[in-house]
Amino acid sequence: MATATQAVQLTDSVSRYIAKSRQMLINGKWVDAASGKTFPTYNPATGEVLANVAEGDKEDINRAVAAARAAFDTGPWSRITPSERGKLIWKLADLIENHAEEFAQLESLDNGKPVTIARIADIPGTIDMFRYMAGWATKLEGNTIPISAHGAKFLAYTLREPVGVVGQIIPWNFPLMMASWKLGPALATGCCVILKPAEQTPLSALLLGELIQEAGIPDGVVNIVPGYGETAGAALAAHPNVDKIAFTGSTEVGKLIVHAATGNLKKVSLELGGKSPNVVFQDADIDATIPGAAMAIFFNHGQCCCAGSRLYVEAKEFDKVVDGVSQLASKIRVGPGMEPTTDMGPLVSEEQMNKVCSYLESGYAEGAKATVGGSRQGDKGYFVKPTVLVNTNEKMKVVREEIFGPVVTAIPFKDVDDLVVKANATEYGLAAGVWTRDIGKAHRIASQLRAGTVWINCYNVFDPAMPFGGYKQSGWGREMGHEVLNLYTEVKSVCTPIS
């Protein structure tokens, strides 16, 4: 593992940022929690306290909702032009770009991911998302509709209007990027927001709040309330003055969100878990497939809802693919995220590390074998070795359930029809991968897989213009692309006689 003496030097601004107890943003002001309580966020590379953050609760959610409600109903946000909204969102993207290194370091410290990855993936992806959504602010169009009712002439048309006050709950695996996936479309459509970052990783969202103010977005339009899911998150999901709740996280919690939202039948969008099949046919370019399959599971330490965690390989190439992925896994440099040579950092928390290790023990008890990795690494920090499991089958817990760690189960197949059945035999349907030189086969299998995204001869390719979301228990609705606008708008029909 990397040594602390090799760590990237923190910028002065980041050092100052984590040294001070962080407050929450409500109605344009940085305030303490109503209770006065704070909670610690930990550095997963060391297990030590990184910073202290105001602990939001029901009363803080009430204050934030009231601020967002006023900003939406009677404040300047309800009167601002689409062009002005777009300019403000674009300015926010510019400010993030100006502070890219601070954000990269905060993501590494708070989440554990390599700072090198945050620099080339998380931060640019965040900037691109805000810029993409800035362009949509001026393109929310309705339609004119020819109608034939009642034998008279009517002018009928639709308007696309913001849904209103939105509660957004984001996860800890891509803290800043997930904030952009939620805030970008909400701001572009004219909504006002209460954002609750994950309690494990609140720091980048709070720094984003400072830039939201600097960009000139009016007070109350974006409120940021850190806190725990069972308190702040639950209060937000159930609040009667919230018009919509958007959640990214586990399927288990997503079901609780749905239940909480029934009080006022608020709109709900969910991006939930996955257990994605990654299918390798014997006619694939194996030299390209092996690193692709490794990246599909080990990117972001396997803490991706769409991770290619079930690797199905046609029997003829099974040993070669498993050996290749295992060799790449053995070369992954696991260490603190702030070490510049680190390929994979720690898992986000002790709880997550213990969960992943318990899945490994379950796999071994049911007969699985690790060709590489298979355990925790070291006794300090929350590191788990990249792991490939063989001797697995669809009855095993490690194959059926989402592990959310650097663990892939490899299973050979011979019959294509049986393969499709097994690939779809899951409660999830978020993503899938297909590797083959036969383009006809690739598209045929893609059409049969019940997943919101299917990558062919690639994996983990994202773009703000490409919708992302799941079938079945992987969620409701789509993030990104023009599809996301449906989640944050209402369609109003207007009709008047003209003769």
Side-chain angles (χ1 to χ4, degrees):
M1 260 182 8
T3 61
T5 57
Q6 297 170 305
V8 171
Q9 185 68 37
L10 291 183
T11 65
D12 291 340
S13 58
V14 169
S15 295
R16 291 193 299 269
Y17 194 81
I18 61 179
K20 181 181 178 182
S21 183
R22 308 316 308 175
Q23 297 175 300
M24 62 183 68
L25 178 63
I26 297 179
N27 202 25
K29 297 180 175 60
W30 291 99
V31 297
D32 293 328
S35 66
K37 293 193 291 186
T38 64
F39 68 93
T41 179
Y42 296 91
N43 182 339
T46 64
E48 298 170 353
V49 173
L50 178 63
N52 288 289
V53 178
E55 183 184 332
D57 209 330
K58 183 176 181 179
E59 180 55 34
D60 304 292
I61 293 295
N62 289 340
R63 291 190 294 165
V65 171
R69 190 84 260 168
F72 181 78
D73 291 340
T74 61
W77 200 239
S78 62
R79 299 187 296 273
I80 198 169
T81 68
S83 179
E84 289 174 300
R85 284 205 308 271
K87 288 177 182 177
L88 290 172
I89 298 168
W90 193 279
K91 184 176 181 180
L92 176 59
D94 288 344
L95 289 170
I96 296 169
E97 192 168 47
N98 293 341
H99 293 266
E101 182 61 19
E102 291 100 310
F103 277 114
Q105 292 189 13
L106 282 178
E107 293 294 78
S108 181
L109 290 169
D110 215 11
N111 167 273
K113 66 180 62 193
V115 67
T116 52
I117 300 299
R119 287 172 182 152
I120 63 174
D122 297 62
I123 313 308
T126 296
I127 295 164
D128 285 350
M129 184 62 184
F130 278 119
R131 286 179 175 155
Y132 174 82
M133 293 313 306
W136 274 112
T138 54
K139 300 169 185 67
L140 301 174
E141 300 174 344
N143 298 291
T144 56
I145 307 169
I147 63 174
S148 306
H150 311 297
K153 290 186 177 181
F154 292 85
L155 172 63
Y157 61 92
T158 59
L159 299 172
R160 189 170 287 276
E161 300 179 338
V163 73
V165 173
V166 179
Q168 300 182 322
I169 302 173
I170 58 174
W172 44 256
N173 56 341
F174 295 93
L176 184 64
M177 193 183 300
M178 291 298 100
S180 74
W181 282 26
K182 294 289 189 289
L183 288 172
L187 294 175
T189 54
C191 296
C192 293
V193 175
I194 304 93
L195 179 73
K196 195 206 85 68
E199 56 265 30
Q200 296 90 345
T201 55
L203 297 181
S204 59
L206 295 172
L207 179 57
L208 181 63
E210 294 185 4
L211 301 190
I212 286 170
Q213 291 183 294
E214 186 176 343
I217 294 172
D219 295 347
V221 173
V222 177
N223 306 273
I224 303 175
V225 182
Y228 293 101
E230 58 269 26
T231 51
L236 185 57
H239 203 289
N241 288 329
V242 170
D243 301 304
K244 172 193 164 55
I245 196 80
F247 171 76
T248 296
S250 71
T251 296
E252 178 185 12
V253 175
K255 292 177 180 179
L256 297 176
I257 296 285
V258 171
H259 184 74
T262 58
N264 67 335
L265 292 180
K266 60 173 62 68
K267 291 180 177 293
V268 178
S269 59
L270 305 167
E271 197 270 278
L272 305 176
K275 192 70 178 177
S276 300
N278 197 14
V279 180
V280 179
F281 289 97
Q282 66 184 29
D283 63 359
D285 180 346
I286 300 300
D287 290 339
T289 298
I290 287 171
M295 186 271 290
I297 180 60
F298 299 132
F299 175 65
N300 207 53
H301 332 152
Q303 295 174 141
C304 296
C305 50
C306 59
S309 54
R310 289 186 294 147
L311 181 60
Y312 290 98
V313 185
E314 200 159 7
K316 183 179 178 181
E317 297 292 342
F318 181 79
D319 290 342
K320 182 176 181 180
V321 171
V322 169
D323 182 62
V325 173
S326 299
Q327 286 188 38
L328 288 179
S330 70
K331 296 175 183 177
I332 291 174
R333 294 167 296 191
V334 179
M338 292 297 288
E339 157 56 43
T341 60
T342 290
D343 298 317
M344 179 184 291
L347 300 186
V348 73
S349 65
E350 183 176 21
E351 177 186 10
Q352 187 64 18
M353 178 190 69
N354 290 338
K355 175 186 173 185
V356 172
C357 289
S358 71
Y359 271 110
L360 291 173
E361 292 303 320
S362 169
Y364 302 146
E366 293 183 299
K369 176 185 176 183
T371 62
V372 65
S375 65
R376 179 182 182 181
Q377 179 165 306
D379 56 8
K380 182 180 181 181
Y382 312 134
F383 299 92
V384 173
K385 298 174 183 177
T387 300
V388 178
L389 296 179
V390 294
N391 296 346
T392 58
N393 60 67
E394 285 73 16
K395 295 181 180 180
M396 292 181 173
K397 190 176 179 180
V398 289
V399 177
R400 291 184 291 106
E401 299 184 12
E402 184 178 39
I403 298 174
F404 221 66
V407 180
V408 62
T409 60
I411 301 174
F413 73 89
K414 294 181 179 179
D415 182 83
V416 174
D417 292 335
D418 182 56
L419 171 278
V420 171
V421 170
K422 289 180 178 179
N424 287 333
T426 172
E427 65 190 38
Y428 300 111
L430 190 56
V434 178
W435 301 81
T436 175
R437 286 188 173 96
D438 185 337
I439 197 66
K441 181 197 298 180
H443 289 290
R444 185 170 64 253
I445 298 300
S447 71
Q448 294 174 315
L449 293 173
R450 299 282 293 165
T453 297
V454 179
W455 288 291
I456 297 175
N457 295 326
C458 60
Y459 210 94
N460 282 333
V461 176
F462 297 95
D463 189 272
M466 193 168 74
F468 182 79
Y471 289 24
K472 299 186 280 188
Q473 293 189 44
S474 286
W476 294 347
R478 294 294 180 268
E479 308 270 12
M480 301 197 295
H482 65 82
E483 292 286 342
V484 73
L485 302 174
N486 296 325
L487 303 183
Y488 291 94
T489 55
E490 297 275 20
V491 174
K492 177 184 290 182
S493 292
V494 181
C495 181
T496 182
I498 57 176
S499 69

